[in-house]
Structures are given as structure tokens and as C-alpha cells.
């Protein structure tokens, strides 16, 4: 789904993606974006920040909270603060206008490939730790049988920790592994995502059972003690 209030941008992006055999739907404002997302359940969203009716960051918050859909921000706002805010919200990539259509297509393909590749590259069996269950095949997380809605980045962060129990990761290691080396952001992005993960999966987020802080170093997954 492409969300932009500029019809020319939508036309360009739609044309480029359809040439690569993507089915594309679109929306021109924040409110219609949520309606289209609810109806179409897109595999990925390309989202402008400067939108009428409901701004892009608010749309991003709702989409990640309700659907966990991967998001690429495409915006004329190139300020580093906007980039950091977007990435902390769980978006998968950020591209500023003017942009290269070829680069955008490559980034879309990379995100789709990474997300859908879980079924091929990860174990098929769900892992369970106490009341917490993580299924890498469906990218579903449940607590006591109740689904927890995680963003794409939150799931990848959780799965990395769960797949390496007791291993301590520094914030910079997590930043490089989940956001990859081309993201020159600050380590607080990891801190924010860890906090949100705890709010979603921990029985008591202020006294975490699963994701422990190793003071002065980073984080590790320990399961229930």
C-alpha cells in the first residue's frame, strides 16, 4: 500500500512496483490509509509523513500496533529527528524525497524478502517459555494464549534474543543485527524497542521475567526462572 497526498508520487511508485509484479493499493490521506489497510491487509506500507486528516507518524503508530505490518517511510522531511522517531516506532526503512524509483523498489524487495523469508530460514516449531509462545513461521507471539501484536522490528528483536538464550547482546550489536549497519542512529532506539517489548510480553514490565538488563552491557533472554 502506498500512502501519499501527491497523486504523481503514487503514480510513479505504483508503476515501478507493478512492473515487479506487486499488487498495489493506495490512499491519499491518513484516515483513508487506515480504512484501506483494514480492508486489504497489505504485506508492506510505503508511507508519507506529511498527510492530511491524520499525519504519517500517527498512521504509523496505529498500523504497527494493530497489524504489525512492515513500513517504509517515504517523505520530504529529511530531518534526522524524524528518521529516528520513525525507526523507534518500528518502521523498517526510511527514504527521503526526491528518491530513486529503482532504489525504492530494491528496498521494498529487501523488506518483503526478509519478512517472508522467516518461513524458510527459521525453525518451524514454536518456542514456549512459561506463558510466552513464539512462532517464527507465522511470526505470532502469544501470552497465555492471547495474541500480542508486535511490529516487524519488535518481532525480529524478540526472536534474536529468544534464539540465543542467556547470550548477552550490547545495544550496538542489536542495532547492527536488527537495523543493519546502514542505519546510523543512536542506541536509544534499541532501548525504546526493549521497553515496548516488555510492555507487550512481560507479566510485570518493571520487573521483567524474560528480557533481562545486564547493567553496563546490554540485554539477554533468560525465560522464566
Amino acid at each position: 500500500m502506498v500512502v501519499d497526498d501527491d497523486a504523481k508520487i503514487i503514480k510513479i511508485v505504483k508503476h515501478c512496483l507493478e512492473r515487479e509484479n506487486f499488487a498495489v493499493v493506495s490512499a491519499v490521506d491518513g484516515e483513508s490509509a487506515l480504512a484501506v489497510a483494514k480492508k486489504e491487509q497489505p504485506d508492506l506500507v510505503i508511507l508519507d509523513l506529511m498527510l492530511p486528516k491524520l499525519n504519517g507518524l500517527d498512521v504509523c503508530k496505529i498500523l504497527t500496533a494493530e497489524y504489525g505490518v512492515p513500513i517504509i517511510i517515504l517523505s520530504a522531511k529529511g530531518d534526522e529527528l524524524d528518521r529516528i522517531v520513525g525507526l523507534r516506532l518500528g518502521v523498517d526503512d526510511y527514504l527521503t524525497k526526491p528518491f530513486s524509483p529503482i532504489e525504492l523498489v530494491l528496498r521494498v524487495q529487501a523488506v518483503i524478502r526478509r519478512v517472508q523469508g522467516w518461513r524458510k530460514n527459521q525453525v518451524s516449531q514454536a518456542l514456549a517459555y512459561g506463558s510466552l509462545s513464539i512462532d517464527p513461521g507465522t511470526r505470532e507471539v502469544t501470552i497465555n494464549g492471547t495474541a500480542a501484536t508486535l511490529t516487524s522490528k519488535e518481532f525480529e528483536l524478540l526472536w534474536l534474543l529468544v534464539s540465543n538464550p542467556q547470550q548477552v547482546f550490547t545495544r550496538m550489536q542489536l542495532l547492527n543485527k536488527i537495523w543493519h549497519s546502514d542505519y546510523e542512529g543512536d542506541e536509544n532506539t534499541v532501548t525504546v524497542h526493549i521497553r515496548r517489548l516488555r510492555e507487550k510480553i512481560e507479566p510485570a514490565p518493571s520487573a521483567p521475567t524474560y528480557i533481562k538488563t545486564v547493567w553496563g552491557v546490554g540485554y539477554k533472554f533468560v525465560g522464566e526462572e
Side-chain angles (χ1 to χ4, degrees), residues 126-139:
L127 298 179
Y129 294 88
S131 60
L132 175 66
S133 177
I134 309 102
D135 189 332
T138 60
R139 296 174 70 89

Side-chain angles (χ1 to χ4, degrees), residues 3 5 10 20 36 48 59 73-74 118 128 159 173 183 221:
V3 186
D5 61 344
I10 290 179
E20 298 297 325
V36 174
D48 185 24
V59 173
I73 294 293
L74 179 63
W118 282 88
W159 182 252
Q173 286 176 324
Y183 170 51
F221 184 88

Side-chain angles (χ1 to χ4, degrees), residues 3 31 36 40 51 54 66 74 81 122 128 138 147 152 154 156 163 171 178 185 219:
V3 186
E31 291 182 358
V36 174
E40 301 291 345
L51 294 172
L54 191 64
E66 295 189 5
L74 179 63
L81 178 60
Q122 303 298 328
T138 60
S152 177
E154 287 169 351
E156 290 176 21
S163 300
R171 290 176 177 81
I178 303 302
Y219 304 98

